[in-house]
């Protein structure tokens, strides 16, 4: 069985609703969705899921706990991560809940597409699932252009563990990928953990903990991977990130130079921003109206009506308008 997975708790409730509605806009209720709980703060999400028969919350505690322990064992072997995390927060492990998406390798789908909660689906995933007929790992992103947010590029071991070609072509963003059940067996995990404990752990980038481990697991296991960004013709490729300001909205879908996006990722925008906007604060960010359209797709009467002057999500009254502000004005996203 094929399905879609995401990771969430109530802090990203508004984003989860928008994601689920964007999936329904394409598939109706025919595509099953599984939500992996970031933590136990899921009361609002649980109530929402009760209204959606095709959506479930993953509740296999053994699976979740096994992956939790696997990740803790990895970071226990890292030479500097815990000391670094002490300088940025109070938790012993940084954002350990993000790794719970790994339970998708256990259940419930034979093949799945994982997407972060801050994503809107724009098109069918047929092309992703088709490539899973020939590959174990399928992505569509441009993370390979920035190795520094995947691995510790200062580690001398990095280029000894992976070939230049792997580091140039196999890097991916952990926010969107297609894969399969059981590709990381318990035995395979033991092999990977042993390599990390023997010194390879130093290549991991500790401030993107789920992304770095996932890249390591896929690349070190030499899984067959496919990135559409490498294979599509230049005039067929699209962007996927909210930082791209050249997308056009047509009939509630984003296009990049005439090509429909597969998904839009509101990466880098705080979940608090979406909560504030949904509460009525007139904060402008790229493709805000599109997000609000999907968030309130089934309850348009609840969509916030802004009555105050708009302000840019990253604006400051003490600084002159930035280039991005001027671009937003040009696009008509803000008036002054």
């Amino acid at each position: 069985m094929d399905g879609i997975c995401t990771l969430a708790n109530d802090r990203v409730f508004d984003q989860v609703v928008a994601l689920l509605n964007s999936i329904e806009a394409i598939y109706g209720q025919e595509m099953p969705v599984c939500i992996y709980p970031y933590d136990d703060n899921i009361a609002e999400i649980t109530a929402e899921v009760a209204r959606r028969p095709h959506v479930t919350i993953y509740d296999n505690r053994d699976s979740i706990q096994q992956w939790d322990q696997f990740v803790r064992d990895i970071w226990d072997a890292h030479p500097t991560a815990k000391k670094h995390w002490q300088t940025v927060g109070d938790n012993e492990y940084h954002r350990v809940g993000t790794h719970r998406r790994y339970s998708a390798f256990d259940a419930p789908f034979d093949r799945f597409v994982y997407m972060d909660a801050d994503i809107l689906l724009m098109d069918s995933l047929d092309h992703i699932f088709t490539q899973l007929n020939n590959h174990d790992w399928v992505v569509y992103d441009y993370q390979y252009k920035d190795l520094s947010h995947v691995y510790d590029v200062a580690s001398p071991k990095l280029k000894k563990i992976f070939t230049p070609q792997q580091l140039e072509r196999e890097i991916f963003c952990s926010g969107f990928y297609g894969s399969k059940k059981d590709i990381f067996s318990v035995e395979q995990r033991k092999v990977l953990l042993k390599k990390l404990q023997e010194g390879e752990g130093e290549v991991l980038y500790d401030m993107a903990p789920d992304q770095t481990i996932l890249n390591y697991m896929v690349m070190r296991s030499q899984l067959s991977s496919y990135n559409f960004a490498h294979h599509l013709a230049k005039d067929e490729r699209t962007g996927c990130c909210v930082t791209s300001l050249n997308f056009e909205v047509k009939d509630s879908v984003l296009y990049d130079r005439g090509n429909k996006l597969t998904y839009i990722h509101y990466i880098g925008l705080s979940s608090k921003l979406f909560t504030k906007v949904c509460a009525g604060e007139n904060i402008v960010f790229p493709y805000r109206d599109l997000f609000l359209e999907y968030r309130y797709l089934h309850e348009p009467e609840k969509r916030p009506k802004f009555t105050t002057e708009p302000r840019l999500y990253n604006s400051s009254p003490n600084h002159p308008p930035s280039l991005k502000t001027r671009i937003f004005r040009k696009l008509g996203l803000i008036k002054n």
Side-chain angles (χ1 to χ4, degrees), residues 35 50 86-87 99 118 157 189 254 288 300 308 335:
I35 299 174
Q86 288 175 2
T87 68
H99 303 85
D118 58 346
K157 290 187 178 180
R189 283 181 245 171
L254 288 173
R288 184 188 71 172
T308 60
K335 296 179 181 178

Side-chain angles (χ1 to χ4, degrees), residues 132-150:
L132 285 174
N133 292 330
N134 304 308
H135 302 277
D136 292 318
W137 200 262
V138 180
V139 299
Y140 191 176
D141 68 69
Y142 302 86
Q143 187 64 53
Y144 64 88
K145 295 182 178 182
D146 181 10
L147 186 62
S148 68
H149 281 79
V150 176

Side-chain angles (χ1 to χ4, degrees), residues 27-32 54:
Y27 289 105
Q29 295 189 346
E30 295 178 1
M31 176 64 76
H54 63 299

Side-chain angles (χ1 to χ4, degrees), residues 293-308:
E293 181 174 348
Y294 283 102
R295 166 61 182 89
Y296 296 99
L297 188 66
H298 298 312
E299 43 189 8
E301 71 283 357
K302 294 184 180 180
R303 181 169 173 166
K305 296 177 175 61
F306 303 112
T307 58
T308 60

